[in-house]
């Protein structure tokens, strides 16, 4: 054990048993004429507090001490030794029964909800019932006492003591309550006046309800430890007033009648206080949780709004940059493409002709890339034409043949379909070109296959590669402009425009682009275009 915890532990293990002994002696000294038991037994409350306060692994030792000190307290008051041992054992059994109901043998018990308070009250009742029945039976058999009177008094006195004292060992974490000192002083003054008025020597009417009004005020307004303290103080004050000489409760009867009324009142105070303070704590805890959750939601919404605003601003800046860049590059790219077309058409030596065709291909690809950057779905829809799907596939394959060779792969056309699509031919070629370009880049040196078939009212051109495939996250974001998955970033360079542009081109022609991919299983990209039954046209 750490040094700073040794002193408190020693104090608890010495002072608490001494306190139980002192309260036992005090309780026995309150013995009223005609009764076999004390009208109140505060040692039961401190014993349960002790059992709940110690660590679970030390509870057996605590129970042994409870037995010893309660038996000793009975012996000091002059009771026969066998009866002292029996009473000590019954006091210990009472605590064991309460601990069993609370299920507090291995885990700490906290009075933090109405359900926990109800279990605590039930545990106090069961423990007190076990003791009261046992003590009453012993008294009736060996000492000639009244069984039922003893049961009622012992039950109420022990249960009230446990409910008024033991909860201090089960206090939950304190809530950030604000206590008004003036209200606290005012409440204490009114509670004292109500107690004296109801139970003082000049009381001539049953005014106990005044005390409950003060108890309700304290239990509903103040933190749990203060509310429990006020109930305990009021209970002690009531006992002192009731057991003082003079007519009490306004009841002209025997001391047994007074005692029964007293212990019943104390037990009611215990039940009321425990249930109300635990309910207040639970409601304030739930309110704090709800407030924290609402604050978190509001904070999350603010962060989301700020993130969205930042994203929109970045998107605007990116679009402005792309628009300005593509606009500045389109003119020199168009010039290069125009002059390269003239060179290709000219009669040049074979070597120069190859070079001019290479320049023309590169210029054409640069022009397509700039078109992708500049492309917008807000552009006017192009005229719809009849596009020969087989011719579209052949042209696209030929355009990417050299790229496929550079990536050590080939492009294979699987059969012919004889379909005609209703779309703008340039849009269809650009869309399919984007799909084939992606497949070639990620082909993993295996052939890229292209085939087409009819699906309802659409001609479907499918491009299949045997690359690494896409993760679910990449697949979910594949059609966002400028998005590139982590696997794509590591594999090949690019801008992340191909799939987004292909889908935009297909959709403005009444079609779509769909992907089917799994990690390690390659990718199937399908271009859907409206189909017609017209004869094939030339691309």
């Amino acid at each position: 054990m750490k040094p700073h915890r040794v002193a408190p532990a020693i104090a608890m293990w010495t002072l608490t048993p001494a306190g139980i002994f002192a309260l036992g002696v005090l309780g026995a000294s309150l013995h009223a004429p005609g009764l076999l038991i004390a009208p109140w037994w505060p040692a039961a409350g401190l014993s349960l507090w002790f059992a709940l306060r110690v660590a679970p692994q030390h509870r057996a030792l605590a129970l042994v001490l409870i037995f010893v000190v309660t038996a000793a307290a009975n012996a000091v008051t002059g009771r026969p030794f066998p009866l002292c041992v029996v009473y000590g054992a019954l006091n210990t059994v009472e605590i064991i029964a309460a601990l069993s109901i609370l299920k507090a043998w291995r885990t700490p018990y906290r009075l933090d909800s109405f359900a926990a308070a109800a279990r605590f009250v039930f545990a106090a009742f069961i423990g007190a019932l076990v003791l009261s029945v046992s003590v009453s039976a012993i008294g009736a058999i060996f000492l000639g006492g009244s069984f039922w009177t003893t049961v009622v008094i012992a039950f109420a006195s022990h249960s009230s003591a446990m409910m008024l004292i033991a909860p201090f060992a089960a206090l939950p974490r304190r809530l950030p309550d604000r206590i008004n000192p003036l209200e606290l002083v005012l409440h204490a003054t009114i509670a004292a006046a109500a107690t004296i008025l109801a139970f003082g020597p000049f009381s001539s009417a049953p005014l106990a309800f005044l005390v409950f009004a003060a108890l309700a005020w304290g239990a509903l307004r103040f933190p749990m430890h203060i509310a429990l303290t006020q109930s305990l103080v009021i209970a002690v004050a009531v006992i002192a007033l009731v057991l003082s000489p003079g007519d009490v409760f306004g009841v002209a009867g025997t001391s047994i009648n007074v005692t029964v009324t007293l212990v019943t009142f104390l037990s009611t105070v215990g039940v009321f206080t425990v249930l109300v303070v635990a309910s207040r704590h639970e409601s304030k805890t739930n309110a704090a949780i709800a407030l924290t959750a609402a604050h978190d939601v509001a904070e999350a919404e603010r962060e989301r709004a700020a993130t969205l605003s930042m994203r929109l601003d970045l998107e605007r800046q990116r679009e402005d940059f792309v628009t300005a860049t593509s606009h500045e590059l389109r003119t020199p790219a168009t010039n290069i493409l125009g002059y390269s077309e003239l060179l290709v058409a000219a009669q040049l030596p074979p070597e120069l002709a190859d070079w001019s065709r290479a320049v023309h291909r590169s210029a054409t690809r640069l022009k397509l890339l700039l078109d992708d950057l500049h492309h917008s779905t807000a552009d006017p829809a192009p005229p719809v034409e009849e596009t020969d799907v087989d011719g579209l596939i052949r042209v696209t394959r030929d355009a990417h043949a050299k790229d496929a060779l550079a990536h050590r792969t080939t492009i294979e056309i699987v059969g012919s379909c004889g379909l005609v699509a209703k779309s703008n031919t340039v849009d269809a070629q650009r869309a399919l070109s984007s799909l084939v370009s992606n497949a070639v880049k990620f082909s993993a040196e295996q052939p890229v296959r292209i085939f087409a078939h009819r699906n309802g009212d659409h001609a479907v051109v499918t491009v299949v590669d045997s690359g690494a495939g896409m993760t679910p996250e990449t697949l979910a974001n594949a059609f966002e402009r400028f998005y590139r998955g982590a696997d794509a970033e590591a594999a090949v360079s690019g801008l992340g425009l191909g799939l987004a542009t292909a889908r935009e081109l297909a959709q403005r022609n009444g079609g779509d682009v769909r992907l089917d991919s799994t990690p390690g299983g390659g990718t199937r990209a399908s271009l859907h275009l409206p189909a017609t039954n017209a004869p094939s046209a030339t691309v």
Side-chain angles (χ1 to χ4, degrees), residues 233-315:
V233 171
I234 289 175
V236 172
V238 169
I239 293 170
L241 291 171
V242 169
L243 296 182
S244 62
D247 191 22
V248 293
F249 283 102
V251 178
T254 64
S255 60
I256 293 180
N257 292 338
V258 171
T259 303
V260 170
T261 306
L262 170 64
V263 295
T264 302
F265 173 81
L266 294 178
S267 184
T268 306
V269 169
V271 173
F272 176 84
T273 304
V274 169
L275 292 179
V276 174
V277 297
S279 298
R280 176 185 181 272
H281 180 87
E282 182 180 23
S283 64
K284 289 185 71 67
T285 300
N286 291 338
I289 293 174
L291 183 61
T292 301
H295 175 76
D296 292 343
V297 170
E299 187 64 26
E301 285 297 320
R302 284 194 293 270
E303 292 180 359
R304 190 181 69 85
T307 302
L308 180 60
S309 176
M310 183 182 298
R311 180 177 178 179
L312 292 176
D313 186 57
L314 290 174
E315 186 71 22

Side-chain angles (χ1 to χ4, degrees), residues 400-477:
H400 292 275
K402 288 190 176 293
D403 286 341
L405 186 61
H407 285 83
R408 292 181 290 181
T409 186
T410 58
I411 303 174
E412 298 180 356
I413 299 176
V414 182
S416 60
C417 61
L419 297 173
V420 175
K422 294 187 294 184
S423 67
N424 180 265
T425 303
V426 174
D427 282 357
Q429 185 173 351
R430 288 178 60 197
L432 184 57
S433 178
S434 294
L435 302 184
V436 173
S437 176
N438 272 358
V440 168
K441 292 177 182 177
F442 297 97
S443 62
E445 302 183 7
Q446 297 293 322
V448 174
R449 296 183 296 117
I450 308 177
F451 56 89
H453 68 284
R454 187 180 185 111
N455 184 9
D457 295 332
H458 286 80
V460 181
V461 183
T462 302
V463 181
V464 181
D465 68 63
S466 57
M470 301 182 188
T471 63
E473 180 184 1
T474 301
L475 193 60
N477 298 279

Side-chain angles (χ1 to χ4, degrees), residues 322-335:
V322 169
T323 301
T325 302
S326 61
H327 177 75
E328 292 297 327
L329 293 177
R330 284 168 71 87
T331 298
T334 301
N335 291 336

Side-chain angles (χ1 to χ4, degrees), residues 86-347:
V86 172
Y87 280 1
L90 290 177
N91 277 276
T92 307
V93 170
E94 174 185 45
I95 304 304
I96 292 174
L99 289 175
S100 300
I101 297 298
L102 294 176
K103 299 180 180 179
W105 286 107
R106 296 183 178 180
T107 56
Y109 185 80
R110 290 291 175 264
L111 201 65
D112 54 4
S113 67
F114 179 82
R119 180 179 286 274
F120 190 89
V121 171
F122 183 65
F125 280 172
I126 293 299
L129 183 63
V130 170
L131 178 132
S132 62
V133 171
S134 303
V135 170
S136 300
I138 292 173
I141 295 173
F142 298 103
L143 303 177
S146 171
F147 177 81
W148 290 112
T149 301
T150 306
V151 165
V152 171
I153 295 176
F155 172 80
S157 67
H158 279 250
S159 64
S160 62
M162 286 189 283
M163 287 185 287
L164 289 170
I165 299 174
F168 288 96
L171 294 178
R173 183 176 59 87
R174 290 187 184 182
L175 299 174
D177 285 316
R178 292 184 178 180
I179 303 173
N180 187 334
L182 181 61
E183 181 185 7
L184 188 59
V185 172
L186 179 62
H187 168 264
T189 303
I190 293 176
T195 303
I196 294 174
L197 183 62
F199 298 101
F202 304 105
S203 175
S204 59
L207 300 175
F209 67 90
L210 296 176
V211 178
F212 277 98
L215 288 172
W217 179 5
L220 293 174
R221 286 289 299 162
F222 301 125
M224 185 180 291
H225 64 288
I226 294 179
L228 289 171
T229 301
Q230 69 140 14
S231 295
L232 180 59
V233 171
I234 289 175
V236 172
V238 169
I239 293 170
L241 291 171
V242 169
L243 296 182
S244 62
D247 191 22
V248 293
F249 283 102
V251 178
T254 64
S255 60
I256 293 180
N257 292 338
V258 171
T259 303
V260 170
T261 306
L262 170 64
V263 295
T264 302
F265 173 81
L266 294 178
S267 184
T268 306
V269 169
V271 173
F272 176 84
T273 304
V274 169
L275 292 179
V276 174
V277 297
S279 298
R280 176 185 181 272
H281 180 87
E282 182 180 23
S283 64
K284 289 185 71 67
T285 300
N286 291 338
I289 293 174
L291 183 61
T292 301
H295 175 76
D296 292 343
V297 170
E299 187 64 26
E301 285 297 320
R302 284 194 293 270
E303 292 180 359
R304 190 181 69 85
T307 302
L308 180 60
S309 176
M310 183 182 298
R311 180 177 178 179
L312 292 176
D313 186 57
L314 290 174
E315 186 71 22
R316 180 187 58 78
Q317 294 180 25
R318 185 173 65 181
E319 291 292 340
D320 291 345
F321 171 77
V322 169
T323 301
T325 302
S326 61
H327 177 75
E328 292 297 327
L329 293 177
R330 284 168 71 87
T331 298
T334 301
N335 291 336
I336 295 173
L337 182 60
Y339 285 116
S340 65
E341 288 178 352
L342 294 176
L343 290 174
V344 169
Q347 297 296 325

